[in-house]
Amino acid sequence: MGFPDGTLAGREVAAYVISRAAGWDVVPPTVMRDGPFGPGMCQLWIDHDTDVDLIALSRRTDHAGLRDMAVFDAVVNNADRKIGHLLPVTDGHLYGCDHGVCFAEDYKLRTVLWQWRGKTLPRRSLEALRRLNAQLNEDGLEAELSSLLTASEISATRIRVETLLKHRVHPLPALRLARHPLASGLDDLFQGVSGRRRAVIAWTGWLVASLCQMAAVRARIFCSTRAVTPATVCPAVLFEVELALEGVVH
Ligand SMILES: Nc1ncnc2c1ncn2[C@@H]1O[C@H](COP(=O)(O)OP(=O)(O)OP(=O)(O)O)[C@@H](O)[C@H]1O
Ligand SMILES: [Mg+2]
């Protein structure tokens, strides 16, 4: 997956720190501890409700906690959200576990929770993202994260939060742009290019991507009733284009 050795425990703790700062409470309390084999993470064990059908739960579109988890995953760039990582408790709250492969600088969101892709973020998500954004710009949270992640991983996290707040949509899977040769060349392309030029290129890219996407979505509407609409998909495409321009999509 391309994560440096010895960093997974820090990512687990950083995921808890982000979830707590935003007020999501998605991650059980998690701390770093010294153990007999060196430092590692220690996480509160959640006695989850084993009667819940996790497959049915993972497909729900009306579960606020599950939707919080989808937004949390977009922020931490979770590369491994599986159904078995859902921990529902009897009071209705939902926790998640296994956040060792989060916070890559590249856009690597891999999740079973795609049901809101391209959809507008609800107000409670925007409030949580604003809370998190404010704290990411304060010294306290930055200091806490800097012992767990690299400076560029923290910076990529900040960019994802700002991009989500700007476009207010759940992101799409990164396959399209990420596999496009243009995306891998974007980093080199933008070396030394001024901010103003980048903006012009970004908007042109967005326009072209939106037109292509609209055409593709129009075509899909005829074949699938579950297709997302152009109105919701365009900001989601823009989300990817901007992440690509920031070098977050490779
Ligand atoms: N904090 C926790 N509270 C309760 N159960 C947990 C907790 N952490 C992990 N588990 C349980 O242990 C299982 C395995 O944990 P985890 O996913 O972290 O390990 P893994 O080796 O990466 O497994 P996987 O192949 O599922 O990714 C989880 O699916 C979950 O059922
Ligand atoms: Mg795992």
Side-chain angles (χ1 to χ4, degrees), residues 104-136:
E105 288 172 54
D106 307 349
Y107 183 46
K108 284 196 184 194
L109 188 58
R110 308 274 188 282
T111 173
V112 291
L113 307 177
W114 284 120
Q115 57 268 56
W116 297 286
R117 65 191 182 282
K119 294 245 188 294
T120 304
L121 290 169
R123 188 181 302 159
R124 67 186 255 135
S125 299
L126 294 173
E127 284 166 3
L129 287 166
R130 280 192 206 107
R131 242 183 335 261
L132 178 59
N133 197 32
Q135 290 188 57
L136 278 171

Side-chain angles (χ1 to χ4, degrees), residues 12 28 43-46 48 80 82 84-85 87 97-98:
E12 294 266 13
Q43 184 173 78
L44 183 70
W45 185 262
I46 302 295
H48 59 284
D80 191 27
K82 297 175 187 160
H85 300 161
L87 305 171
C97 64
D98 201 3

